Structure formats: structure tokens, C-alpha cells
Amino acid sequence: MSLKRRIPFLRWSFLRLAVGSRNITKTGQIGDGREQAAVDYVVANARRGDIDDAIAKIDEFAYEKSFLINIGDEKGELLDAAVRRADARLALELGTYCGYGSLRIARAAPGAKVFSVELSAANAGVAQRIWEHAGIADRVTCVVGTIGDGGKTLDALAGEHGFTTGSLDLLFVDHDKAAYLPDLQAILDRGWLHKGSIVVADNMLIPGSPKYREYMREQQGKLFATVEHKTHGEYQTLAPDLVLESEYLG
């Protein structure tokens, strides 16, 4: 791996991310057009109908063109393994961004229905184009909204998409870090998890979700059994990160 790949601070697109960090929580995008550029790159370079190639081309874009804020290749392998352990038939992702997490979930669980909640309609459009190109648009659905919108999105998942008591096998949390814990609690209140459901949470160190991490520590052996996976921030090997994998004990 080149020095530029290993150390993101040497890359202009990473520095531009810091400038655009305020945009992310408001618009879901960094603000320099990289998300649209990513989908254009995938459509132009990945083999149509090849989910592996779509994932590889997103990783290639993030390393060689513009840094992206999806889970990435190294941490993505942890997500893959969790999806397989959950034997997922119904999966929910919070934070679609460019659709990368859902691609990995759909690949690891080819029989699953995957739903992804995204605050940005623009990101939903980007993800939809990538899913269509990868050949998985028939089993991955983006719901534009947020879990914290007073129940509107939760009601849509229940009423329109069949989410019900004990139906959710895999929950992947990778959106607004301040929303990790309240959104998990809202899903728990709906009773959608069952014994053995797995919750995966990215970015425990970068940028961090300390309230969520503390909650999982408090619930260890009670409501959840959590493993903290030591890894690195996406698309680099300099900064450490943690991915939490929590099995619901019911």
C-alpha cells in the first residue's frame, strides 16, 4: 500500500472532508460532488450485474480518486462476517451514503431483503444507481428519512415493508453518530430484534459514539453480548478504529 493510501492526511480529498464535515449531518454529502463521481465511476468501470466488481470499484475510487466515508474494505470484512453469523433474512442499515454497506450485506446474505434508511434523497439516488448496476436492486430498498423523525420512518418500515416483532436479523448502524443510541433504543422499543439478532456499529473511535459504546458496556451479558473489533478507519492504516458487534440476548 502506498504512503498516500496508508496516510489519508496526504490526500486532498481527505482534507476536503474536514472542510465539508458540517455538510454531512445536514445534507448527507461532503459537498464537492464526490458521491456523484463515485456512482459515475462504478457505472463506467464495474461489470454490470457483478456485485463483487461494484464493491471493488467503490474501494478503488475511494483509494485512488476521492476518499469516501462508507465502512470500507477492512472493516467491511467484519460486517460480512457478522451478516453471515446472523444468517440474515431481513437486514436494516442506518446510513446508506453511496450504497456500499448494503452491497456488502446483500453479497454476504444473498437470500436477504435489505433495507437502508438515508436522510438524503440525493444519496438514495446514488445508491439506487449503484444497486441497479450491481444487479441487486430487486432486494435492496432505500427509505428516505430518519429513525428520529417522530415515528414516520419506523411506521413506514412496519406498514409498507413488513417489519414486525422479532423479524430483524441484522442491524448495521453507520449514520449520525449522535443518533446511534436513540435510534437503537427506538428499534428496541418496536420489538423488532429477536434473540440472536446482531447489531453492528461502525466508527466507535473515529469520529466516535461514546454514549452508544457506554450503553453496550452497561448491557454486556444482560441485553447484549458485545465484541469490540480493533481495526482502522476507512481506507487507511494510520488511525485506529473500533467496530462493535453486539448479539441481542432477548
Side-chain angles (χ1 to χ4, degrees):
M1 183 178 290
S2 70
L3 191 63
K4 255 183 141 176
R5 278 192 171 201
R6 190 172 68 84
I7 304 176
F9 311 113
L10 299 178
R11 302 177 60 192
W12 165 245
S13 65
F14 184 87
L15 298 175
R16 180 65 181 81
L17 170 63
V19 175
S21 59
R22 290 185 179 181
N23 293 328
I24 297 170
T25 55
K26 294 179 180 178
T27 69
Q29 298 191 343
I30 293 166
D32 60 0
R34 72 183 68 190
E35 293 83 12
Q36 186 60 48
V39 66
D40 291 342
Y41 186 85
V42 172
V43 170
N45 294 282
R47 292 181 295 274
R48 178 171 287 279
D50 188 332
I51 189 171
D52 294 327
D53 203 31
I55 291 169
K57 290 302 185 288
I58 294 174
D59 289 334
E60 184 176 284
F61 179 90
Y63 277 123
E64 302 296 341
K65 303 296 182 182
S66 290
F67 188 90
L68 296 174
I69 58 172
N70 46 253
I71 192 170
D73 51 349
E74 180 184 354
K75 293 186 290 183
E77 292 183 0
L78 297 171
L79 175 60
D80 297 346
V83 174
R84 290 191 290 266
R85 275 190 287 273
D87 191 22
R89 293 295 178 268
L90 181 65
L92 176 63
E93 174 187 45
L94 305 184
T96 310
Y97 194 46
C98 295
Y100 180 89
S102 291
L103 283 170
R104 297 199 76 113
I105 295 168
R107 182 177 65 175
K113 283 288 187 181
V114 182
F115 292 85
S116 187
V117 173
E118 169 60 40
L119 69 86
S120 165
N123 282 347
V126 165
Q128 188 66 36
R129 281 187 65 201
I130 288 178
W131 297 336
E132 288 172 356
H133 191 78
I136 62 166
D138 60 330
R139 55 193 182 93
V140 184
T141 301
C142 187
V143 178
V144 177
T146 66
I147 299 300
D149 61 7
K152 181 180 177 181
T153 296
L154 289 169
D155 288 345
L157 289 169
E160 300 173 24
H161 302 297
F163 280 66
T164 188
T165 302
S167 64
L168 184 57
D169 304 306
L170 186 283
L171 174 63
F172 175 41
V173 187
D174 191 20
H175 60 322
D176 178 6
K177 311 313 164 189
Y180 275 27
L181 183 54
D183 286 0
L184 172 65
Q185 290 173 328
I187 289 168
L188 287 171
D189 289 344
R190 293 276 173 147
W192 290 348
L193 299 182
H194 60 78
K195 185 176 182 181
S197 295
I198 291 180
V199 182
V200 178
D202 190 19
N203 300 126
M204 284 296 105
L205 293 183
I206 305 173
S209 183
K211 291 183 179 179
Y212 180 95
R213 189 180 182 193
E214 181 59 29
Y215 173 82
M216 284 304 184
R217 286 177 168 176
E218 291 172 353
Q219 295 300 324
Q220 181 72 0
K222 301 172 185 177
L223 203 59
F224 288 96
T226 297
V227 176
E228 295 192 347
H229 297 285
K230 293 182 179 180
T231 180
H232 299 96
E234 44 268 32
Y235 300 118
Q236 49 88 26
T237 60
L238 179 67
D241 201 0
L242 287 174
V243 170
L244 266 59
E245 180 183 342
S246 304
E247 180 180 347
Y248 184 60
L249 302 179

